[in-house]
Amino acid sequence: SDRSRRWTASLVEMALAVPANRDVVAGWVAAWTPLAERAVSVYLDGLPGASATAAADAVSDVRAWHGSLGVG
């Protein structure tokens, strides 16, 4: 939801204000992103009526959002 994204963006902004946190956050993103992308792909690929590009589109959107936060 928009509220969750705003809250997360604020949290990431606050965390990245401390230079030492950048590596920590980058490590979390590196560890969890492949798992999340796989989960999204498996889920959307199994939904009847989902477009052929639904999973790729969702993953692309999340990567873009990570980039806008400075963590992607």
Side-chain angles (χ1 to χ4, degrees), residues 2-72:
D2 289 337
R3 180 180 171 271
S4 293
R5 283 186 175 227
R6 286 191 310 271
W7 185 91
T8 301
S10 293
L11 177 64
V12 169
E13 180 181 356
M14 182 182 69
L16 296 182
V18 177
N21 288 342
R22 185 164 295 279
D23 289 341
V24 173
V25 173
W28 291 339
V29 171
W32 289 103
T33 297
L35 297 169
E37 288 178 357
R38 178 73 181 136
V40 165
S41 294
V42 169
Y43 176 74
L44 289 175
D45 289 345
L47 283 180
S51 74
T53 63
D57 293 344
V59 166
S60 178
D61 288 348
V62 171
R63 287 181 181 175
W65 187 61
H66 284 170
S68 76
L69 297 175
V71 298

